[in-house]
């Protein structure tokens, strides 16, 4: 009796999911992407005064064979995560045309930070504006599916963040007065505070499952090494210190949010350690070069001239998959693939409390 009854419900659920595949299938989980150039898929192509863009050759040369606006020779981390989750590529919010927004939207923008002042107004989509755009999308989904289905869909959705790096790099590269009025602790507190505000807003709108990528060893990016005026062209330890402070504060903030917000679930990816390992032991991970970028100029090809937009002269390597870094601030597709795999199915030494495979199923 008990068995035949559950069999009946199973049949009803299957029929419902066949009739309404986009809203009722338990497998259908949207992916919303927030952040900076590590996650961008082309929003800045549509910003007239964008701080940075990657919509020219050789960006995209390996996989897409044309420049899409992704800061890599090929796919970026969210592309691989979407693939593992059996979703299509998630389109940039600003890209014209009709999108299947119930699969998710990518709000990330190269140069963006959690602090509005990190970039001149209008040159990036900062985190706060990304959250406003998300609300627009929520309204559009509501008009399509109604409030009840939208709530269900948004509570199953994954909200993935990569934010903070630009807030810590900009004071050492583009605007030295950003830090002037603040101690390190205050500045990190502002970045975390603004990020927390956005998380809470998405939670209020029904979001429950969040993913955070830690900041990397920022001072060791080829771009920062090339900017190091200390003579050694070594890592800029002062920038890396901000990254460490940020990551500790982020872990604390996430634990705190979990006690405050009922049903809040998160994954924290230790990108810092995973990238440091690959810089140090590049050959162990299949890279011939771990410090110098494939495309750019100057020390470590760290000057952001890839494609000739910054300076006339630049060098381009023959085989990006020999390199960890594609340009002075961004990774090759091969590196992105390795990291996305760790996020998807890595164990609790790299991603915790859940890996993404588990978080998608939760
Ligand atoms: C872009 O920058 C130019 C020059 O600084 C400025 O005149 C213009 O208003 C800006 N446009 C937008 C859309 O912000
Ligand atoms: C640099 O940062 C300061 C402090 O936030 C700000 O007042 C100034 O407008 C910024 N300059 C540029 C060029 O963005
Ligand atoms: C970001 O932090 C600054 C400093 O605490 C604050 O003035 C600003 O209102 C915050 N913005 C958001 C969107 O939370
Ligand atoms: C450059 O070196 C000085 C002296 O060792 C140090 O105080 C400073 O933090 C270094 N700058 C950077 C950006 O690492
Ligand atoms: C986690 O994975 C790493 C790399 O695959 C492995 O070296 C380590 O032993 C694993 N740790 C645990 C606790 O399973």
């Amino acid at each position: 009796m008990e068995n035949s009854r559950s069999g009946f419900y199973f049949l009803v659920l299957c029929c419902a999911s066949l009739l309404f595949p986009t809203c009722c299938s338990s497998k259908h989980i949207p992916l919303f992407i927030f952040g900076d150039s590590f996650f961008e898929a082309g929003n800045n192509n549509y910003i007239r005064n964008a701080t940075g863009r990657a919509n020219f050759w050789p960006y995209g040369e390996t996989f897409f064979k044309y420049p899409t606006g992704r800061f890599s020779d090929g796919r970026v981390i969210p592309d691989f995560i979407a693939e593992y989750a059996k979703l299509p590529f998630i389109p940039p919010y600003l890209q014209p045309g009709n999108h299947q927004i119930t699969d998710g939207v990518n709000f990330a923008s190269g140069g963006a930070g959690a602090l509005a002042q990190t970039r001149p107004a209008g040159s990036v989509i900062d985190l706060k504006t990304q959250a406003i755009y998300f609300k627009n999308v929520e309204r559009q989904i509501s008009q399509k599916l109604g409030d009840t289905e939208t709530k269900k869909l948004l509570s199953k959705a994954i909200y993935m963040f990569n934010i903070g790096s630009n807030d810590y790099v900009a004071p050492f590269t583009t605007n030295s007065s950003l830090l002037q009025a603040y101690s390190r602790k205050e500045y990190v507190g502002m970045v975390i505070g603004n990020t927390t505000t956005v998380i809470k807003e998405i939670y209020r709108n029904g979001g429950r499952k969040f993913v955070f990528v830690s900041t990397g060893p920022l001072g060791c990016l080829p771009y920062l090494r090339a900017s190091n005026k200390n003579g050694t062209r070594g890592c800029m330890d002062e920038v890396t210190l901000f990254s460490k402070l940020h990551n500790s504060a982020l872990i604390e903030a996430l634990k705190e949010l979990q006690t405050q917000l009922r049903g809040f679930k998160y994954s924290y990816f230790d990108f810092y350690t995973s990238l440091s390992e690959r810089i140090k032991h590049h050959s162990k991970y299949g890279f011939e070069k771990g410090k110098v970028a494939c495309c750019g100029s100057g020390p470590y090809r760290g000057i952001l001239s890839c494609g000739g937009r910054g300076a006339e002269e630049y060098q381009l390597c023959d085989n990006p998959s020999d390199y960890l870094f594609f340009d002075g601030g961004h990774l090759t597709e091969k590196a992105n693939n390795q990291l996305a795999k760790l996020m998807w199915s890595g164990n609790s030494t790299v991603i915790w409390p859940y890996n993404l495979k588990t978080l998608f199923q939760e």
Side-chain angles (χ1 to χ4, degrees):
M1 183 67 194
E2 209 45 45
N3 270 342
S4 72
R5 177 178 279 194
S6 64
F8 170 74
Y9 285 127
F10 179 67
L11 196 68
V12 169
L13 283 174
C14 279
C15 292
S17 68
L18 283 172
L19 286 169
F20 307 107
T22 55
C23 61
C24 299
S25 161
S26 62
K27 283 204 173 66
H28 185 85
I29 296 172
L31 175 59
F32 295 101
I33 298 150
F34 301 82
D36 52 32
S37 54
F38 254 67
F39 277 8
E40 150 147 34
N43 277 318
N44 285 11
N45 302 354
Y46 307 99
I47 301 177
R48 188 192 296 267
N49 288 351
T51 294
R53 281 198 202 110
N55 57 348
F56 44 86
W57 192 85
Y59 289 103
E61 63 169 351
T62 303
F63 181 80
F64 298 97
K65 312 294 180 194
Y66 67 94
T68 63
R70 287 169 175 80
F71 288 80
S72 181
D73 57 304
R75 287 163 286 183
V76 291
I77 287 174
D79 296 323
F80 289 108
I81 302 297
E83 183 191 326
Y84 303 150
K86 304 199 163 52
L87 291 165
F89 286 125
I90 305 299
Y93 175 78
L94 293 180
Q95 183 176 290
N98 276 326
H99 308 305
Q100 189 67 29
I101 52 175
T102 48
D103 286 336
V105 175
N106 187 331
F107 303 98
S109 163
L115 304 177
Q117 62 266 31
T118 289
R119 296 285 182 230
S123 68
V124 297
I125 313 169
D126 63 25
L127 185 61
K128 185 186 168 189
T129 310
Q130 292 182 28
I132 293 170
Y133 288 170
F134 169 70
K135 276 197 178 152
N136 294 344
V137 168
E138 185 187 12
R139 262 194 302 276
Q140 287 167 20
I141 296 178
S142 264
Q143 282 160 11
K144 236 169 117 167
L145 302 181
D147 289 348
T148 312
E149 281 308 321
T150 302
K151 258 226 133 59
K152 248 191 246 170
L153 193 72
L154 294 185
S155 71
K156 286 191 300 185
I158 301 284
Y159 303 85
M160 194 161 80
F161 289 78
N162 188 83
I163 198 77
S165 305
N166 287 302
D167 300 302
Y168 303 118
V169 167
F172 296 91
T173 52
T174 52
N175 186 349
S176 59
S177 51
L178 286 169
L179 266 177
Q180 254 164 23
Y182 306 104
S183 71
R184 285 192 193 106
K185 198 168 173 225
E186 284 167 344
Y187 193 78
V188 171
M190 291 192 322
V191 172
I192 297 291
N194 283 15
T195 306
T196 306
T197 301
V198 167
I199 298 167
K200 286 183 172 165
E201 229 166 85
I202 294 173
Y203 177 89
R204 269 197 303 278
N205 288 306
R208 291 295 178 269
K209 302 196 277 184
F210 295 79
V211 179
F212 297 89
V213 174
S214 81
T215 52
L218 292 170
C220 297
L221 299 177
Y223 173 45
L224 275 296
R225 285 189 203 257
S227 311
N228 196 345
K229 303 292 192 298
N230 277 9
T232 58
R233 302 293 187 192
C235 297
M236 278 173 84
D237 296 337
E238 177 67 15
V239 189
T240 303
L241 177 57
F242 272 101
S243 190
K244 288 180 182 164
L245 293 171
H246 171 88
N247 292 336
S248 312
L250 177 60
I251 290 169
E252 287 313 308
L254 290 172
K255 285 183 184 158
E256 180 71 25
L257 284 169
Q258 194 162 42
T259 68
Q260 290 173 1
L261 309 177
R262 213 169 143 227
F264 175 84
K265 292 194 177 73
Y266 70 91
S267 294
Y268 173 89
F269 175 51
D270 185 3
F271 177 64
Y272 185 98
T273 304
S274 298
L275 186 59
S276 302
E277 274 280 301
R278 280 163 179 76
I279 293 173
K280 252 184 267 169
H281 310 294
H282 51 89
S283 46
K284 187 177 151 195
Y285 296 95
F287 301 102
E288 273 175 35
K289 306 280 184 187
K291 292 192 177 78
V292 61
C294 165
C295 187
S297 52
Y300 300 99
R301 292 185 193 151
I303 295 170
L304 301 176
S305 57
C306 182
R309 296 295 169 101
E312 287 304 309
E313 301 269 327
Y314 71 97
Q315 289 102 46
L316 174 65
C317 70
D318 288 335
N319 191 359
S321 68
D322 291 340
Y323 288 73
L324 179 60
F325 290 99
F326 184 62
D327 71 12
H330 308 99
L331 302 176
T332 55
E333 169 172 284
K334 178 170 161 180
N336 285 329
N337 192 0
Q338 288 185 4
L339 296 163
K341 275 188 184 139
L342 285 179
M343 290 177 70
W344 184 255
S345 55
N347 67 29
S348 59
T349 56
V350 290
I351 183 157
W352 67 81
Y354 307 99
N355 61 28
L356 292 197
K357 193 177 171 193
T358 310
L359 191 69
F360 266 87
Q361 286 164 359
E362 272 288 310

